[in-house]
Amino acid sequence: MIYKDYENRDINDRSYWNGPGAANRRVIYKAAGYEDKDIRTKPHIGIANTFFEASPGTGHLRRLADSVKQGIWMNNGVPMEFGVPATCGNVAIGSDGLRYELVARDIVAMSVEMVCKVQKFDALVILATCDNIIAGAYLAAIRMNLPVIVVTGGSMYQGECHGKKIVQAEMDIATIRRDEEVVNMFEEHVCPSFGACPSMGTANTMQILGEALNLVLPGTATIPAGDSIKLRKCVEAGRAIVDIAIKGRKPAQLISKEVILNAIMLDMAIAGSTNAVLHILAYSNELGLGVTVDDFDRIANEIKCLVGVIPSGNLSVINLHNAGGVPAVMKRLESKLYLDVPTMSGYTWREYLKHVSVVNEDVIKTLDKPFENMPGLRVLKGNIAPDGAVCRATGVPQEMLKFMGKAKVFNLEEDAYDAIMTDRIKPGDVVVLRYEGCKGSPGMNEVMMATDGLVAKKLANKVALITDGRFSGFNHGTIIGHVAPEAYEGGVIALIQDGDLIEGDIQGGTINLLISEEKLEERRKSWVRPEPKVKKGVLALYGATCRPSNEGGAMQNWLK
């Protein structure tokens, strides 16, 4: 049984590493420098490190891993570090590399799964920081169902130039405008330290949600990468994982539907990246918990944005951390949360929050006096998106909360971007950007050039953009994504034609094509699925195996 069901054995059962039949395993570990007693008797703790020295988000993770290992050794465990692929999405902006970003989440999860299944670790620590990499770390943790802690890389400090605070998204706009002087100035100052970009992009959103998901130790997600307390908390995580391994506490025991609903409440309160919807749905499906986009919509009607972090406001994640971090936001949500679910600390949220206070009332607002009287996210439905679409409501200009305009339709982001930059998109238009969904892209492209182009051309408060693709967590404007069903699957977005009237109501949660059902049916009959854009490699594999965006977009059938 030990060979077939290693994850479900008692940790004190060391038969896999003892006796003559285990000699082939022991000899390899001895050759790698581990001592016989450690191999035979102590918990083996895998350390999955997404270190990549060419990115500030991951370039410091080797140092953090050393501190984690120190804590593991101190608590009588045996750390075994291995590498996991990582990228930086900023490098891919303006290229087809962004189509690999969501695919990367699944590659990270599969990489960790493969190593753990072969090496038979007793527990796992994953170090990750950015975007789909940390999202993949969580997916791996849930899939493996080993005792696990995810250690976040933290946020970088906010850049400053000529007395003004600056962030990466501002440089992207200056780049599109070809403002070389501003770009050169920003390059020197915008990323002053290691860590995730300090806005509420996907990286910081997912780091923060890790605490509510019981995958990150409470109070640690937002610690700045450059703060020495980060190293001390890494030692603490190393010690803690050995204790958690001995107790046998695994994600399946710590993550219930109520835990995921708590994470969605937290996501609304921080106005998190729309990409969090994809990831949370994937986690729910991995665990069979039944969370849907309708849960996001229901919670959005109850909880408004409490924290004005860029792009919803002008604060950084460092400001949020100094105001009390994730525990303080959870304290604000106390009357809404499922309080009797556990935390990684071993306490319930009810017990844990008794000792939490909000340090800065101006940074973390209250439920009755929120930062923005809008939810951090809206799920829109209608004939364009019967299975849902998402919008970061706090990033929508007031005058665009309701809109109606004529469609300008594009099947490639490059074409839409070119039309925007050559002034073929006019105020009042609705840009429809399709075949950028999970299967049609394939990879569910982040249509960042098109959205940044609207900002650069000062059209963000005059033009709406609708897509079956997705957005960067930095983006803002009247942008509606994740339209499901996507165009490649024959969704209504595939049937829209230039000049069609589209009506959207962000607060009301609707998005509709204003033509008759009879005319739509005529178009359905003549629609032909296009040839795949990519026919080999990992993108083609993703397109052939992924779930739709409203189920999380993972390369997984979740067969029962």
Side-chain angles (χ1 to χ4, degrees), residues 537-557:
V538 70
L539 287 181
L541 180 63
Y542 176 85
T545 60
C546 68
R547 305 301 300 163
S549 61
N550 59 300
E551 294 182 19
M555 297 170 66
Q556 184 63 250
N557 286 327

Side-chain angles (χ1 to χ4, degrees), residues 200 208 211 218-224 266 270 307 316-333 349 352-353 356-360 363-364:
M200 195 58 73
I208 286 168
E211 291 192 30
T220 65
T222 58
I223 299 171
L266 177 60
I270 63 173
V307 183
S316 75
V317 173
I318 305 296
N319 298 129
L320 171 59
H321 175 73
N322 292 335
V326 177
V329 181
M330 298 294 272
K331 183 71 175 179
R332 291 295 204 209
L333 296 171
W349 276 110
Y352 184 84
L353 291 175
V356 172
S357 60
V358 178
V359 178
N360 190 330
V363 173
I364 306 174

Side-chain angles (χ1 to χ4, degrees), residues 208-243:
I208 286 168
L209 296 185
E211 291 192 30
L213 288 168
N214 287 331
L215 294 170
V216 176
L217 289 176
T220 65
T222 58
I223 299 171
D227 194 324
S228 62
I229 196 173
K230 192 74 180 171
L231 296 175
R232 300 197 294 279
K233 289 297 181 180
C234 285
V235 175
E236 181 181 314
R239 294 174 65 93
I241 191 59
V242 178
D243 292 336

Side-chain angles (χ1 to χ4, degrees), residues 18 34 78 144 156 158 164 239 343 384 390 403 425 437 458 462 480-481 536 545:
N18 284 277
Y34 294 94
V78 183
M144 288 311 304
M156 71 168 58
Q158 192 170 359
K164 179 182 181 294
R239 294 174 65 93
T343 68
I384 291 178
V390 300
F403 64 87
I425 303 300
K458 299 183 179 178
K462 300 170 184 174
I480 298 162
K536 62 181 179 179
T545 60

